[in-house]
Amino acid sequence: MHEETPRVELTPAAADLLRRLRASHGPLMFHQSGGCCDGSAPMCYPEGEFRTGGSDVLLAELQVEGVPEPVTFWMSRSQYEVWSHTRLIVDVVAGRGSGFSLEAPEGVRFLTRSRVVGA
C-alpha cells in the first residue's frame, strides 16, 4: 500500500524546540493564519489556547519523539486553499517572531517553508 507524503513535517531543530516548549508549557498546537502579521510563521500555543472553528483546517497531528501527545497543526481555510498543493516544513530560524507565539522569548521563531507536492 502506498503511504502518502505527510502534509506537515518538522525539521530536527523544530522538533527539539517543541520538546523544550512542551516541558515548559504542556501540550502544544500550531495555527497558521497567513494574516498580515503572521506571514509564513506558524504560531505555537498551549493546546486549546487558540480557538479553532469552521474557518480552520486540521492539517496534521505531528508525532514528536519525547512529546507524549501529538502537536496539532491548524491552518485557516483561506490560507489552506492557497497552500493546498504544498508540503509544509516547519523550521526554526534566529530572530524574534510574534509575541503571541511561545518561542518568542527564546530568541528564535518557527518558520514554515513549503515544497510543491510531488517535487
Side-chain angles (χ1 to χ4, degrees), residues 3-4 6 11 20 22 27 29 32 37 42 45 49 53 57 60 66 89 92 96 99 103 109 111-114:
E3 186 172 316
E4 188 175 315
T11 65
R20 293 194 324 260
R22 169 58 173 87
M29 68 180 291
Q32 182 149 352
C37 301
Y45 302 101
E49 185 173 296
V57 176
I89 302 137
V92 176
R96 186 156 166 82
E103 81 281 5
R109 62 187 178 95
L111 178 78
T112 301
R113 301 176 193 281
S114 63

mmCIF file of all heavy atoms in Angstrom, residues 3-4 6 11 20 22 27 29 32 37 42 45 49 53 57 60 66 89 92 96 99 103 109 111-114:
data_model
loop_
_atom_site.group_PDB
_atom_site.id
_atom_site.type_symbol
_atom_site.label_atom_id
_atom_site.label_comp_id
_atom_site.label_asym_id
_atom_site.label_seq_id
_atom_site.Cartn_x
_atom_site.Cartn_y
_atom_site.Cartn_z
ATOM 1 N N GLU A 3 2.134 4.834 0.949
ATOM 2 C CA GLU A 3 1.997 5.748 2.086
ATOM 3 C C GLU A 3 2.061 7.186 1.574
ATOM 4 O O GLU A 3 2.972 7.554 0.843
ATOM 5 C CB GLU A 3 3.115 5.495 3.102
ATOM 6 C CG GLU A 3 2.936 6.302 4.368
ATOM 7 C CD GLU A 3 3.923 5.900 5.438
ATOM 8 O OE1 GLU A 3 4.119 4.704 5.636
ATOM 9 O OE2 GLU A 3 4.510 6.805 6.050
ATOM 10 N N GLU A 4 1.092 7.979 1.955
ATOM 11 C CA GLU A 4 1.006 9.360 1.493
ATOM 12 C C GLU A 4 2.078 10.217 2.169
ATOM 13 O O GLU A 4 2.395 10.035 3.332
ATOM 14 C CB GLU A 4 -0.378 9.920 1.822
ATOM 15 C CG GLU A 4 -0.620 11.270 1.207
ATOM 16 C CD GLU A 4 -2.039 11.738 1.448
ATOM 17 O OE1 GLU A 4 -2.961 10.936 1.281
ATOM 18 O OE2 GLU A 4 -2.199 12.918 1.794
ATOM 19 N N PRO A 6 3.526 13.148 4.159
ATOM 20 C CA PRO A 6 2.865 13.977 5.176
ATOM 21 C C PRO A 6 2.678 15.415 4.688
ATOM 22 O O PRO A 6 3.512 15.953 3.971
ATOM 23 C CB PRO A 6 3.821 13.922 6.371
ATOM 24 C CG PRO A 6 5.124 13.447 5.837
ATOM 25 C CD PRO A 6 4.834 12.691 4.575
ATOM 26 N N THR A 11 11.529 20.012 10.963
ATOM 27 C CA THR A 11 12.970 19.828 10.903
ATOM 28 C C THR A 11 13.429 19.356 12.283
ATOM 29 O O THR A 11 12.699 19.511 13.278
ATOM 30 C CB THR A 11 13.698 21.142 10.553
ATOM 31 O OG1 THR A 11 13.492 22.076 11.616
ATOM 32 C CG2 THR A 11 13.229 21.711 9.217
ATOM 33 N N ARG A 20 11.364 21.270 24.134
ATOM 34 C CA ARG A 20 11.646 22.235 25.210
ATOM 35 C C ARG A 20 10.387 23.008 25.595
ATOM 36 O O ARG A 20 10.111 23.209 26.781
ATOM 37 C CB ARG A 20 12.761 23.201 24.785
ATOM 38 C CG ARG A 20 14.101 22.509 24.629
ATOM 39 C CD ARG A 20 15.299 23.454 24.529
ATOM 40 N NE ARG A 20 15.095 24.688 23.818
ATOM 41 C CZ ARG A 20 15.473 24.922 22.559
ATOM 42 N NH1 ARG A 20 16.057 23.954 21.859
ATOM 43 N NH2 ARG A 20 15.283 26.092 22.005
ATOM 44 N N ARG A 22 7.287 22.032 25.202
ATOM 45 C CA ARG A 22 6.348 21.105 25.839
ATOM 46 C C ARG A 22 6.697 20.931 27.316
ATOM 47 O O ARG A 22 5.816 20.888 28.181
ATOM 48 C CB ARG A 22 6.383 19.753 25.112
ATOM 49 C CG ARG A 22 5.651 18.600 25.807
ATOM 50 C CD ARG A 22 4.202 18.912 26.046
ATOM 51 N NE ARG A 22 3.433 17.802 26.561
ATOM 52 C CZ ARG A 22 3.304 17.497 27.849
ATOM 53 N NH1 ARG A 22 3.923 18.193 28.778
ATOM 54 N NH2 ARG A 22 2.539 16.482 28.222
ATOM 55 N N PRO A 27 0.960 20.402 26.680
ATOM 56 C CA PRO A 27 0.594 20.079 25.289
ATOM 57 C C PRO A 27 0.515 21.326 24.411
ATOM 58 O O PRO A 27 0.103 22.392 24.867
ATOM 59 C CB PRO A 27 -0.771 19.409 25.442
ATOM 60 C CG PRO A 27 -0.741 18.832 26.829
ATOM 61 C CD PRO A 27 0.039 19.831 27.655
ATOM 62 N N MET A 29 0.022 23.248 20.289
ATOM 63 C CA MET A 29 -0.638 23.280 18.992
ATOM 64 C C MET A 29 -0.009 24.386 18.146
ATOM 65 O O MET A 29 0.601 25.318 18.683
ATOM 66 C CB MET A 29 -2.131 23.566 19.147
ATOM 67 C CG MET A 29 -2.438 24.971 19.641
ATOM 68 S SD MET A 29 -4.191 25.356 19.829
ATOM 69 C CE MET A 29 -4.739 25.385 18.140
ATOM 70 N N GLN A 32 -1.643 28.505 11.763
ATOM 71 C CA GLN A 32 -1.090 29.400 10.751
ATOM 72 C C GLN A 32 -2.236 30.059 10.016
ATOM 73 O O GLN A 32 -2.997 29.411 9.306
ATOM 74 C CB GLN A 32 -0.203 28.631 9.769
ATOM 75 C CG GLN A 32 0.404 29.570 8.760
ATOM 76 C CD GLN A 32 1.757 29.107 8.302
ATOM 77 O OE1 GLN A 32 2.331 28.171 8.821
ATOM 78 N NE2 GLN A 32 2.274 29.780 7.310
ATOM 79 N N CYS A 37 0.236 39.859 9.960
ATOM 80 C CA CYS A 37 1.272 39.816 10.994
ATOM 81 C C CYS A 37 1.975 38.471 11.056
ATOM 82 O O CYS A 37 3.091 38.373 11.555
ATOM 83 C CB CYS A 37 0.670 40.117 12.364
ATOM 84 S SG CYS A 37 -0.111 41.725 12.435
ATOM 85 N N PRO A 42 4.172 29.996 11.650
ATOM 86 C CA PRO A 42 3.072 29.406 12.396
ATOM 87 C C PRO A 42 3.194 29.823 13.860
ATOM 88 O O PRO A 42 4.292 29.946 14.391
ATOM 89 C CB PRO A 42 3.299 27.905 12.226
ATOM 90 C CG PRO A 42 4.781 27.780 12.069
ATOM 91 C CD PRO A 42 5.212 29.028 11.334
ATOM 92 N N TYR A 45 1.038 27.607 20.391
ATOM 93 C CA TYR A 45 0.281 27.929 21.602
ATOM 94 C C TYR A 45 0.152 26.685 22.476
ATOM 95 O O TYR A 45 0.257 25.564 21.967
ATOM 96 C CB TYR A 45 -1.148 28.350 21.244
ATOM 97 C CG TYR A 45 -1.273 29.525 20.323
ATOM 98 C CD1 TYR A 45 -1.534 29.352 18.974
ATOM 99 C CD2 TYR A 45 -1.147 30.819 20.809
ATOM 100 C CE1 TYR A 45 -1.671 30.428 18.121
ATOM 101 C CE2 TYR A 45 -1.285 31.911 19.960
ATOM 102 C CZ TYR A 45 -1.546 31.714 18.617
ATOM 103 O OH TYR A 45 -1.681 32.781 17.780
ATOM 104 N N GLU A 49 -5.457 26.824 23.514
ATOM 105 C CA GLU A 49 -5.459 28.258 23.826
ATOM 106 C C GLU A 49 -5.961 29.087 22.647
ATOM 107 O O GLU A 49 -6.593 30.111 22.826
ATOM 108 C CB GLU A 49 -4.072 28.734 24.244
ATOM 109 C CG GLU A 49 -4.074 30.184 24.680
ATOM 110 C CD GLU A 49 -2.766 30.638 25.260
ATOM 111 O OE1 GLU A 49 -2.374 30.106 26.312
ATOM 112 O OE2 GLU A 49 -2.125 31.507 24.645
ATOM 113 N N GLY A 53 -12.152 26.776 14.631
ATOM 114 C CA GLY A 53 -13.561 26.604 14.278
ATOM 115 C C GLY A 53 -13.707 26.202 12.827
ATOM 116 O O GLY A 53 -12.768 25.705 12.201
ATOM 117 N N VAL A 57 -8.630 24.426 9.222
ATOM 118 C CA VAL A 57 -8.440 23.056 8.762
ATOM 119 C C VAL A 57 -7.342 22.421 9.606
ATOM 120 O O VAL A 57 -6.269 23.016 9.782
ATOM 121 C CB VAL A 57 -8.012 23.042 7.272
ATOM 122 C CG1 VAL A 57 -7.716 21.632 6.801
ATOM 123 C CG2 VAL A 57 -9.062 23.702 6.405
ATOM 124 N N ALA A 60 -2.511 18.359 10.372
ATOM 125 C CA ALA A 60 -1.661 17.278 10.870
ATOM 126 C C ALA A 60 -1.747 17.168 12.384
ATOM 127 O O ALA A 60 -2.049 18.144 13.072
ATOM 128 C CB ALA A 60 -0.204 17.536 10.469
ATOM 129 N N GLY A 66 9.628 12.138 22.240
ATOM 130 C CA GLY A 66 9.794 12.790 23.532
ATOM 131 C C GLY A 66 8.610 13.638 23.956
ATOM 132 O O GLY A 66 8.593 14.170 25.061
ATOM 133 N N ILE A 89 6.966 22.507 5.749
ATOM 134 C CA ILE A 89 8.092 22.091 6.573
ATOM 135 C C ILE A 89 8.306 23.161 7.629
ATOM 136 O O ILE A 89 8.648 24.304 7.303
ATOM 137 C CB ILE A 89 9.363 21.901 5.724
ATOM 138 C CG1 ILE A 89 9.085 20.854 4.628
ATOM 139 C CG2 ILE A 89 10.535 21.489 6.595
ATOM 140 C CD1 ILE A 89 9.625 21.200 3.299
ATOM 141 N N VAL A 92 13.040 26.302 12.329
ATOM 142 C CA VAL A 92 13.336 27.328 13.328
ATOM 143 C C VAL A 92 14.455 28.198 12.775
ATOM 144 O O VAL A 92 15.434 27.688 12.227
ATOM 145 C CB VAL A 92 13.799 26.687 14.666
ATOM 146 C CG1 VAL A 92 14.190 27.741 15.669
ATOM 147 C CG2 VAL A 92 12.700 25.807 15.232
ATOM 148 N N ARG A 96 13.404 37.308 16.404
ATOM 149 C CA ARG A 96 12.211 37.407 17.243
ATOM 150 C C ARG A 96 10.969 37.348 16.371
ATOM 151 O O ARG A 96 10.795 38.125 15.449
ATOM 152 C CB ARG A 96 12.255 38.716 18.017
ATOM 153 C CG ARG A 96 11.151 38.838 19.014
ATOM 154 C CD ARG A 96 11.558 39.794 20.113
ATOM 155 N NE ARG A 96 10.410 40.186 20.894
ATOM 156 C CZ ARG A 96 9.897 39.458 21.866
ATOM 157 N NH1 ARG A 96 10.447 38.303 22.171
ATOM 158 N NH2 ARG A 96 8.857 39.878 22.547
ATOM 159 N N GLY A 99 5.010 38.053 19.387
ATOM 160 C CA GLY A 99 4.955 37.998 20.837
ATOM 161 C C GLY A 99 3.903 37.038 21.340
ATOM 162 O O GLY A 99 3.880 36.699 22.516
ATOM 163 N N GLU A 103 7.549 30.512 21.414
ATOM 164 C CA GLU A 103 9.004 30.539 21.261
ATOM 165 C C GLU A 103 9.595 31.945 21.279
ATOM 166 O O GLU A 103 10.813 32.116 21.307
ATOM 167 C CB GLU A 103 9.435 29.795 19.988
ATOM 168 C CG GLU A 103 9.323 30.587 18.697
ATOM 169 C CD GLU A 103 7.910 30.674 18.133
ATOM 170 O OE1 GLU A 103 6.959 30.199 18.770
ATOM 171 O OE2 GLU A 103 7.763 31.239 17.048
ATOM 172 N N ARG A 109 12.341 31.811 16.074
ATOM 173 C CA ARG A 109 10.933 31.759 15.680
ATOM 174 C C ARG A 109 10.731 30.588 14.741
ATOM 175 O O ARG A 109 11.649 30.180 14.019
ATOM 176 C CB ARG A 109 10.479 33.049 15.031
ATOM 177 C CG ARG A 109 11.200 33.400 13.761
ATOM 178 C CD ARG A 109 10.803 34.794 13.280
ATOM 179 N NE ARG A 109 11.530 35.151 12.094
ATOM 180 C CZ ARG A 109 11.083 34.982 10.850
ATOM 181 N NH1 ARG A 109 9.910 34.452 10.644
ATOM 182 N NH2 ARG A 109 11.811 35.340 9.824
ATOM 183 N N LEU A 111 9.214 28.941 11.430
ATOM 184 C CA LEU A 111 9.021 29.424 10.070
ATOM 185 C C LEU A 111 8.530 28.263 9.232
ATOM 186 O O LEU A 111 9.055 27.159 9.356
ATOM 187 C CB LEU A 111 10.339 29.955 9.495
ATOM 188 C CG LEU A 111 10.295 30.441 8.060
ATOM 189 C CD1 LEU A 111 9.654 31.830 8.013
ATOM 190 C CD2 LEU A 111 11.676 30.478 7.467
ATOM 191 N N THR A 112 7.530 28.490 8.421
ATOM 192 C CA THR A 112 7.044 27.445 7.528
ATOM 193 C C THR A 112 7.640 27.641 6.151
ATOM 194 O O THR A 112 7.515 28.710 5.564
ATOM 195 C CB THR A 112 5.501 27.476 7.433
ATOM 196 O OG1 THR A 112 4.956 27.302 8.730
ATOM 197 C CG2 THR A 112 5.002 26.373 6.523
ATOM 198 N N ARG A 113 8.274 26.603 5.685
ATOM 199 C CA ARG A 113 8.765 26.569 4.309
ATOM 200 C C ARG A 113 7.821 25.642 3.558
ATOM 201 O O ARG A 113 7.163 24.790 4.158
ATOM 202 C CB ARG A 113 10.192 26.021 4.266
ATOM 203 C CG ARG A 113 11.166 26.845 5.106
ATOM 204 C CD ARG A 113 12.554 26.207 5.120
ATOM 205 N NE ARG A 113 13.411 26.775 6.126
ATOM 206 C CZ ARG A 113 14.063 27.910 6.037
ATOM 207 N NH1 ARG A 113 13.927 28.662 4.983
ATOM 208 N NH2 ARG A 113 14.837 28.318 7.024
ATOM 209 N N SER A 114 7.744 25.778 2.255
ATOM 210 C CA SER A 114 6.837 24.914 1.515
ATOM 211 C C SER A 114 7.547 24.297 0.321
ATOM 212 O O SER A 114 8.500 24.855 -0.217
ATOM 213 C CB SER A 114 5.609 25.689 1.059
ATOM 214 O OG SER A 114 5.981 26.714 0.173
#
